[in-house]
Amino acid sequence: MTPPRPPLFLARQSYRRRRMMDAARLWPLVGAFLFFLPILWHTAETPQPDTVWGGLYLFTAWTLLIAGALVLSRILSHSDTREQPGQMSEDEAPGPG
Amino acid sequence: MVPFKILVAVCLAYVCMLFMVAFAAERRAQRGQIGWLRSPLVYTLSLSIYCTAWTFYGAVGYAARSGLEFVTIYLGPTLVLVGWWWVLRKLVRIGRSQHVTSIADLISARYGKSNVLGVIVTLMSVVAATPYIALQLQSVTLSFGVFASGAPEGWATPDQGATTLWLAGGLTLFTILFGTRNLDANERHHGVVMAIALEAVVKLVALLAVGIFTVWSVAGGFVDVLARIDASPIADWPLAPGRWIGLTFVSAAAVLTLPRMFQVMVVENSDERHLATASWAFPLYLMLMSLFVIPIAVVGLQALPEGANPDLFVLTLPLTQGQGKLAMLAFLGGFSSATSMVIVAAIALATMVSNHVVTPLWLSLRRGGTRAPGDVRGLVLMSRRLSIAGILALGYGYYRLSGGGAALAAIGLISFVGAAQILPCLLGGIFWRGGTGTGAALGLGTGFLVWLYTLYLPSFGTGGLLSETLMTAGPWGIGWLRPQALLGIDTLDPLLHAIFWSLVLNTAGYVLGSLATFPGPVERMQGVAFVNVFDHDPVARGWSRGGAEAEDLLAMSQGILGAEEAQQFFQREAEAQGKAGFLPETTPDFIERLERRLGGAVGAATAHAMIAQFAVGAVVSAQDLMAVASEAQQILEYSTQLEAKSDELARTARQLTEANDKLTELSVQKDAFLSQISHELRTPMTSIRAFSEILMDRDLASDMQQKYAGIIHDETIRLTRLLDDLLDLSVLENRKMKLNIKVANLHDLIDRAVRSASNIRPERDFAIRRDVSSEHMPVVTDTDRLVQVFINLVSNARKYCDAPRAEMTIHARQRKGGIIVDFIDNGSGIAGKAQTVVFEKFTRLTDTARAGGAGLGLAICREIMANLGGTIAYLPGQGGAAFRVTLPIRPGGRSDNADG
C-alpha cells in the first residue's frame, strides 16, 4: 500500500500559501540577522557613545519584526481556516452512524 | 508615604480581586461558556508570565549596570515567537495530540514513556526553578523594604527574613487555592490563566506609567532623555559578541523549556490559531515592557543618590518625586509579576512532581492493589498541594542561603541556563527520529551536572557550598577542573562559560548516546508520532492489541478521571463503536485514546504503566515480536491474528458475564410478572364473582339478569383474551413461533391492517395519510404476524391519540439492510420517561379511552418483530407518538441498529 504521490506542481493559491510558510520560516532568521548586526559595529572599540543609536536601532528593528510577524500570521491563519474548514480534533470526531 | 498596614491591605485586596476573577472564570468555564476566556488575547497575555519581577525590577537594574545588554533576555523569546512556524506550532500540536501535562511529560512521552526521564526533567526543573522563585521573593521583599525605609514612624515592620517567610507562606496558600481546586482532564486552569492575564495588564500598565512619568515628567521629554543617556555612565555600549549571542540564545531556549512557559504556551493552549496571534502580540508586549527600561535606569542613576539599588528604581524614582500613588501602582505591578510567576511555576512543577514522582511511587508501593487503585484523584491533588509548598520552601531556602544580596538578573540567568539544558533533547525529540531515551538521559544528566558545578553551586558565593580553594585551584588541586575555567579556559566570563560547556557537553551526550543505542519499540512509535505529528494518520500504535477488560479499565479510570467523566468517555467510545451502554470493545484504538486521556490527568508514563497492568501480555509480546521480526508486515499479520484471538476471548468472557446478568434479571422479572398477572386475573374474577352472586338472587328483574349476565360474559371474554395474549407471548418469547413465510406486497398488508383496525372506536373521525406509491415493495415474512403488529399500532393510535382531528401518517421505505415502516400520529406522544417502558408487559400509560387492553399489545409486537428478525422502536421527536418497525429484507438476518 503506497500512499498517493503528492502533486509536483500546485495551484496558484496553494503555491502562494507555501511561499508564505517559507516566509514565516525565514522571518526569525531575518530577526536574528537584525539583532546580531550590531556585533559588526564593534561598539566597544569606538570612542563615541552608542547606546542611544544602538537602542533606537534595536527598537526599530524590533518593531519591524513584529509588524512582519503580524502580516505573516494574518495571511497564514486566514488561509489556514479557508483551506481546512472541516478539520476536527480527535475528541470531536463523529462515531459511525 | 504609604503606611505599611495600607500596603499590606492593598496587597490582600488585590489578591482577593485576582481570586474573584479566577473564580468567576472557573464558573463560566464550568457552565461551558468558554468564549473570550480562551481568546488569542488572553493566551498572549498569559504568556507574559515570562516577564517576572526580574523584568519588572531587574531589567532596570541590569540596564543601569550594563546598558543595552538587558534587552537580549527579550530578543530571544521574540525570535522564538516570530519563528513559531518552526518549533512552537509543532510543540503545541504535539502537546494537544498527546495530552501532554508538562515539559517532563513531553520528554518522557517522546522517549518511550520512560518515567526515568520524567524524573530527571522534574528534578532539573525543580532545582533550576529555586533561584527563580527566590528572585521573586527577594524582589517583593525589597519592594516592601523600600516603603519601610522611608517611613517616618520607624515602621513596626517585621524584619526582612520574616517578610519573606510571610510572603512565601501567603503565596503557597494562594497557589494551592488557585491551582489545585480540581484535577482537570486536560490540565487546563481557566481561572489561573484569566488571573495571570489580568496581572499581565497590571504590570504592563504600571511599567508604562512609570516610564511615561519618567520621560515626560522627571526628564524633559524624549530628546532630553536621549541627551541624558549620552551623558550617563551607560552611554557607551560595550557589546561583547559572546554574551550578546549567548544570552539571546539562552533566553530563547528558556522560553521553550521553562516549566511555567511550557504550561501556559502548550498545556493551557486551547486553540492552535492563538499561536498565530501570539507570534506578533507577545513580542509586542515584550517590546513595550523594555521600552522605558533604559530611560528609567538613566534618569534613576542621575536623580537618586549614589548607592541606591538600581533594581528598585521603578519604585524609588516615583517615591522620591513624591508620587505615592504611582509608586503604589508600580509596587502592585511588581507584586503582580512576582505572584503570577510563582503561581504558574509552582503549579507546573507540582504537576510534574506528582505525575512523575509521587504517583508512580505510590502505585509501585501498592503492589497488587494497583489494578483498581481507588481514588487516585485525592492522592494526586494532595501530592500537588504538598509539592507546591515544597517548591516554595526550596525557593525560600535558596533566598536565605544566597543571602538575598545578588542582582536580580544574575539570579534569573542561573535558572535560565538550568532550564535550557532540556533544549537539546526537546528539539531532538521533535525533529529527529533517531533520538533515543538513553541519549536524552545522558545529555540531560551531563548538562545538569555541568550546570550545577559551574554555575549553580558557585552562585551561593565563595565559601558557600563550594570552598574557596576549590574555586581557585580546582578539586584536588586539578587546575583544569576549576568550576569557572574548565579545561583551563578562563577567558570566558563565568555565565558564558557555564552556558558554553553545559550545552556543548549536553548536546554531545545526547547525540552520541542516541547514535550508539537502539530505541525500544514504544520509543520508536512515539518518535514517529512526535516527529511526523503533522501527517494525518498516525502509522504506529502503542498497543498492538487490547488484552484488557473494558470493565476493569472503567473501574480504574473512574479513580483517576472521576466517575462521571470516565463514564461519559466510555459511553462515547462505546457509542462510536455502535454499542449501547458503557463498555466499548477494547480495541487498540480505544485503549490508545484512553491512555492519552488518562495521561492528561496523571502524565504519559504513569498512564502507560497503569494501562500496561491490564494489557501486560500484549506489550511484552509486541516488543518481542518487534525484536524478532524485521518485516513490519510479518508483525502486522501475526498481531492481527493474536488480536482476533484475544478479542474473541474477551468477547466470550463478556458474553458470559452478560448472560449471567441477564439470568439474574430474568428471575426478578419473572417474580414481578407473576404478581402482575395475578392482579390482572383477579380484577375480572372479582366482578364475575360479584355479579354471579347477585344473579343467584331469585327475585331479580329479568332485564337486570340480562344485564349482569352480559357483564359476566364480557369479563370472561376479557379474561380469555388476556390468557390468549399471555399464551401468545410465552410462545413468542421462547422463540417457538412457527413462521409461515409468504411473499406479499407491503401495501396490501398495510391495507389489511388499516381495515381491521377501523372497528376500534369506529365513531371516531380518524384520518390516515399514506404515500401509496412508496409502499409497493415485496416483503418475505410471516405476513399474518406482521399485519398483527401493524393492526396493533394503528388501533393504539385510534384508541389513544388525543388530537381533536386525529390523524396518522404511515411512511414506508426501503433502506440498506431493511424495510422501515413508520407509524406517526399527531397526538401528544409518549413522555420521555415512559418511552423506555412502553414495550414492557402490562404497561398502560393512560386510563383514558381505555379499551380493555391488558397492556400486552406492544410487548407482543416487540416479540413478534424479534421473531421476524426485525425490530420495533419508539421514535422520539416526531410531534406525536411514533413507532418505527424495521424488517429485514429476507427473514433470518437480524438488522441491528437499522433505525440509527
Side-chain angles (χ1 to χ4, degrees), chain A residues 25 35 43 50-51 62 70 81 96, chain B residues 86 234-237 244 280 576:
Chain A
R25 289 196 182 95
F35 290 160
T43 52
D50 19 37
T51 295
W62 210 339
L70 169 65
T81 45
Chain B
W86 284 108
I234 55 168
D236 202 22
W237 183 15
W244 188 259
W280 59 267

Side-chain angles (χ1 to χ4, degrees), chain B residues 699-715:
Chain B
D699 41 12
L700 197 68
S702 77
D703 58 336
M704 293 304 270
Q705 273 185 12
Q706 198 69 31
K707 190 182 165 195
Y708 291 147
I711 290 176
I712 291 172
H713 185 242
D714 283 348
E715 289 295 341

Side-chain angles (χ1 to χ4, degrees), chain A residues 67-80:
Chain A
L70 169 65
V71 172
L72 281 174
S73 84
R74 280 293 157 90
I75 295 174
L76 281 172
S77 55
H78 189 62
S79 58
D80 201 37

Side-chain angles (χ1 to χ4, degrees), chain B residues 89-223:
Chain B
R89 197 171 66 103
K90 198 164 190 179
L91 264 188
V92 168
R93 176 68 68 87
I94 292 171
R96 289 171 63 78
S97 71
Q98 301 279 328
H99 290 263
V100 164
T101 58
S102 64
I103 179 124
D105 193 31
L106 181 95
I107 300 290
S108 129
R110 161 62 180 86
Y111 296 103
K113 304 179 185 179
S114 132
N115 200 38
V116 177
L117 278 174
V119 172
I120 295 179
V121 175
T122 304
L123 183 73
M124 285 173 63
S125 301
V126 169
V127 176
T130 46
Y132 217 145
I133 289 175
L135 184 162
Q136 314 302 323
L137 296 177
Q138 178 178 335
S139 69
V140 178
T141 309
L142 284 176
S143 65
F144 267 112
V146 166
F147 283 91
S149 61
E153 74 272 33
W155 259 40
T157 45
D159 63 303
Q160 281 208 351
T163 313
T164 319
L165 195 60
W166 273 103
L167 188 68
L171 279 173
T172 308
L173 189 70
F174 190 45
T175 310
I176 288 174
L177 285 175
F178 249 123
T180 59
R181 281 169 15 100
N182 50 2
L183 182 64
D184 216 341
N186 287 321
E187 284 311 313
R188 298 227 169 92
H189 304 81
H190 301 280
V192 176
V193 168
M194 207 61 217
I196 57 176
L198 180 72
E199 295 202 279
V201 176
V202 172
K203 61 195 180 198
L204 181 63
V205 168
L207 199 58
L208 286 180
V210 174
I212 290 168
F213 167 76
T214 309
V215 172
W216 280 281
S217 182
V218 182
F222 188 64
V223 180

Side-chain angles (χ1 to χ4, degrees), chain A residues 17 21 24-25 27-28 31-32 35-36 38-39 41 43-44 46 48-52 54-56 58-59 62-63 65-66 69-70 73-74 76-77 80-81 87 90-91 95-96, chain B residues 68 71 74-75 78-79 82-86 93 97 99 222 226 229-230 234-239 241 244-245 248 273 276 279-280 283-284 286-287 290-291 294 536 576 593 596:
Chain A
R17 187 176 147 72
M21 290 182 193
R25 289 196 182 95
W27 201 235
F35 290 160
F36 295 149
I39 292 172
W41 300 351
T43 52
T46 51
Q48 77 273 21
D50 19 37
T51 295
V52 168
L56 288 179
L58 277 178
F59 279 95
W62 210 339
T63 313
L65 202 63
I66 292 167
L70 169 65
S73 84
R74 280 293 157 90
L76 281 172
S77 55
D80 201 37
T81 45
Q87 207 184 20
E90 37 135 351
D91 286 341
Chain B
L68 271 174
V71 90
Y74 310 100
L75 295 184
T78 299
L79 292 179
V82 164
W84 63 294
W85 201 264
W86 284 108
R93 176 68 68 87
S97 71
H99 290 263
F222 188 64
L226 292 187
I229 295 173
D230 260 344
I234 55 168
D236 202 22
W237 183 15
L239 191 154
W244 188 259
I245 297 176
T248 309
R273 275 168 298 184
S279 76
W280 59 267
L284 181 66
L286 292 177
M287 195 190 79
S290 322
L291 201 54
I294 291 271
H536 264 284
R593 276 197 291 277
R596 279 204 221 126

